[in-house]
Amino acid sequence: MAVGILRSNRIAPTDPRRAYVENLALRIDERATRVAPSAAPAYGMPIALSRGEPERLYGAAGLHPYRPEAVRAHGLDGRSIPAWCDNLLTVLRPAERNPTYAAPLHKDLGNLGFPAQSVRSIVNH
């Protein structure tokens, strides 16, 4: 999730790290989710949240279909990072795409120096 989106929801993200998760692709419909299997990794930012913030974030209207999944992220610095990835229970139809939601993710990934192919995939999906 983009840091700006978290902050707009009164969530104070800490310790962001550039990383990727193998065998999962990022899919953005009305919201973002990860789908498996995928030959390409999903790039993003594992972010630490304080106690209660995940419940507050995913308790917001429209976010109840998300469920946490334990994943192993790989930091671009070479470190392995245990993380939670919140995924939609059902994959939405392509007609439900939300370019307004995708734009800040695209911008953040580009500004943070992620591989160009993964940045392009955010808007070209």
Side-chain angles (χ1 to χ4, degrees):
M1 183 171 281
V3 170
I5 291 172
L6 290 170
R7 288 188 179 130
S8 72
N9 284 283
R10 300 181 327 275
I11 304 294
T14 60
D15 196 23
R17 295 176 260 177
R18 297 183 314 148
Y20 64 92
V21 176
E22 294 176 339
N23 302 316
L24 288 177
L26 177 63
R27 179 178 169 144
I28 299 178
D29 295 314
E30 179 59 28
R31 302 276 188 205
T33 194
R34 305 301 192 280
V35 292
S38 172
Y43 288 86
M45 300 285 290
I47 297 172
L49 300 176
S50 66
R51 184 169 296 232
E53 286 182 328
E55 292 83 3
R56 193 169 77 233
L57 179 64
Y58 286 98
L63 297 180
H64 64 277
Y66 281 90
R67 294 295 179 262
E69 174 186 351
V71 296
R72 175 71 51 189
H74 304 280
L76 298 188
D77 62 3
R79 294 187 310 173
S80 179
I81 306 164
W84 287 103
C85 179
D86 290 301
N87 292 320
L88 285 170
L89 293 175
T90 57
V91 177
L92 302 173
R93 295 182 311 271
E96 297 175 283
R97 291 188 178 149
N98 184 345
T100 302
Y101 184 83
L105 295 175
H106 179 262
K107 181 179 178 185
D108 282 356
L109 288 176
N111 289 342
L112 292 166
F114 281 97
Q117 177 73 15
S118 68
V119 174
R120 279 193 303 275
S121 73
I122 299 295
V123 292
N124 293 332
H125 176 76

